[in-house]
Amino acid sequence: MENKKPPRNLKGLLISFKKASLSLVKSLPYFIGIILLMGMLKIFIPPETLLKIFTGKIFIDTGIGALIGSVLAGNPVNSYIIGHVLLKDGVSLFVITAFIVSWTTVGIVQIPYEIQTLGKGFAIARNGLCFLLSIFVSVVTVLILGVIS
Amino acid sequence: MNDIPQEKKANVKPGQKKKSSQTSGYYFLGAVTLLTIVLLVVFPGKTEKALSYSLNLFLRLIPLIAAIITFTALINFFVDQKKLSSLLGKESGLKGWLIAIVSGIITHGPVYVWFSMLEEMKKHGMRDGLIAVFLYNRAIKIPLIPIMMYYFGTLYTIILLVVMVVTSPILGLLLELFVKEKAVSTKG
């Protein structure tokens, strides 16, 4: 899609809508693929399976939590529910926070589409940095919570 | 610089990039479909549930997709490239970071639905750091805050959200450093 400005009339508006629609239609294979993967992840990886992955060592588990959150996708409420279940089962708040933050900020499933639209360098750098930031944010949040409460 | 189409910048024939990215979209869908078929044979019950979940999700996304098509078309039609550059481009300053944070928080729907519109805004001059900040702050959803408070407590929720907002510009700046360095090393 080039940046040629459409004329400021009804025809121009229709051209703009046509371009925007075509752009999203071209993205449909990615959309459908992502949505199918999200369904599979939701049904095939229940919270009780996640509990078995953690080692009990906070540092390693925080990384694992961030990694699982990066792979899983979907409504953030699901990450709260899973996080709550894990917390009740004794998993550290550092791990839960990294898990919740990476769930909503990192998107392994959608990376092919992000590369197509925003570029390979951008997609890899953004997801990699968001992964690291999820660990940083979890440490800062839990430490502040500890000091305040 | 942004007036130059991406294909010309990379010295590629016009349309070549789009065609290859479209093909990769079909490869991606093909691979996922193959995985679905295998799972359907091995675990028919679970896979049917997963497909039903995906179908529901897709149906719920249709109004949002329509809204994003409208929004993208209106940006293309009304927004002047210079104006958008001054708001969200290199020279936007603090105003740009604030717009990216607030718009990230108030927008709805899955993050991938917004990629197409952000691609268009990038072509109009939106800087990479602000796109990253917008996407990062989409993690903060005002309607979901009470639910998070219910599960994890008010104090935890407030601290987490404040820490996320404060760290988001750091992400934007780091990303720009990385993407810029990568571009320089590619040239070298």
Side-chain angles (χ1 to χ4, degrees):
Chain A
M1 202 186 294
E2 288 181 21
N3 277 335
K4 197 180 167 190
K5 198 84 193 137
R8 285 286 178 97
N9 52 28
L10 185 63
K11 195 184 168 191
L13 188 63
L14 289 174
I15 290 170
S16 296
F17 267 94
K18 193 181 166 191
K19 279 172 82 176
S21 309
L22 277 176
S23 172
L24 261 154
V25 165
K26 282 175 189 166
S27 303
L28 268 180
Y30 284 105
F31 268 39
I32 297 169
I34 291 168
I35 290 168
L36 279 173
L37 276 179
M38 283 168 71
M40 304 297 167
L41 288 170
K42 162 96 180 156
I43 302 298
F44 282 91
I45 309 179
E48 50 274 19
T49 311
L50 299 180
L51 197 61
K52 292 175 193 160
I53 299 172
F54 295 113
T55 61
K57 292 168 187 159
I58 288 179
F59 289 113
I60 297 170
D61 284 353
T62 304
I64 294 174
L67 196 66
I68 296 170
S70 305
V71 176
L72 296 180
N75 194 324
V77 175
N78 295 333
S79 75
Y80 305 161
I81 296 167
I82 296 171
H84 184 66
V85 170
L86 295 175
L87 193 65
K88 275 170 67 181
D89 280 320
V91 176
S92 160
L93 197 55
F94 285 104
V95 182
I96 307 298
T97 310
F99 170 74
I100 291 171
V101 175
S102 65
W103 177 295
T104 47
T105 59
V106 186
I108 301 286
V109 170
Q110 70 219 15
I111 270 191
Y113 183 40
E114 190 170 350
I115 289 174
Q116 187 221 345
T117 48
L118 299 171
K120 193 177 179 181
F122 178 93
I124 292 169
R126 191 189 74 79
N127 283 284
L129 288 168
C130 283
F131 174 80
L132 295 175
L133 263 188
S134 69
I135 296 170
F136 174 77
V137 165
S138 89
V139 172
V140 174
T141 303
V142 178
L143 287 180
I144 294 175
L145 185 71
V147 170
I148 293 178
S149 60
Chain B
M1 196 178 166
N2 287 307
D3 292 335
I4 306 165
Q6 298 283 336
E7 295 93 342
K8 285 185 184 172
K9 274 189 211 173
N11 203 16
V12 183
K13 283 179 190 171
Q16 192 172 323
K17 183 182 170 250
K18 275 286 165 195
K19 268 187 186 171
S20 71
S21 62
Q22 256 180 278
T23 314
S24 65
Y26 290 119
Y27 283 140
F28 175 67
L29 181 59
V32 177
T33 308
L34 196 66
L35 175 73
T36 309
I37 292 167
V38 171
L39 288 173
L40 201 57
V41 172
V42 183
F43 309 102
K46 275 188 170 183
T47 313
E48 273 171 28
K49 269 188 190 172
L51 287 173
S52 164
Y53 175 84
S54 298
L55 182 66
N56 276 329
L57 185 64
F58 186 71
L59 293 176
R60 274 189 280 136
L61 281 180
I62 290 173
L64 184 69
I65 292 172
I68 286 171
I69 289 175
T70 309
F71 199 37
T72 310
L74 293 178
I75 287 172
N76 202 16
F77 184 69
F78 285 112
V79 180
D80 179 56
Q81 190 165 326
K82 279 183 186 167
K83 180 77 180 163
L84 198 124
S85 271
S86 73
L87 287 173
L88 297 166
K90 292 280 176 202
E91 67 275 30
S92 57
L94 183 65
K95 187 175 57 184
W97 296 106
L98 288 175
I99 293 173
I101 290 170
V102 173
S103 54
I105 293 171
I106 62 172
T107 48
H108 288 271
V111 70
Y112 53 86
V113 179
W114 293 91
F115 288 160
S116 168
M117 193 201 76
L118 291 169
E119 179 189 24
E120 187 67 17
M121 291 179 79
K122 190 175 176 173
K123 285 176 189 167
H124 279 74
M126 185 173 182
R127 61 191 277 194
D128 282 338
L130 297 188
I131 294 176
V133 169
F134 170 83
L135 292 173
Y136 191 78
N137 282 286
R138 294 205 69 278
I140 302 166
K141 291 282 126 290
I142 294 166
L144 302 186
I145 290 175
I147 303 171
M148 194 183 220
M149 284 175 169
Y150 170 77
Y151 283 117
F152 302 105
T154 306
L155 186 61
Y156 170 83
T157 304
I158 292 169
I159 295 170
L160 175 61
L161 299 185
V162 170
V163 172
M164 286 186 76
V165 169
V166 172
T167 49
S168 64
I170 300 171
L171 165 73
L173 293 170
L174 284 173
L175 181 124
E176 284 186 351
L177 269 178
F178 184 82
V179 172
K180 200 174 159 188
E181 269 183 21
K182 212 175 171 203
V184 170
S185 66
T186 310
K187 276 181 196 172

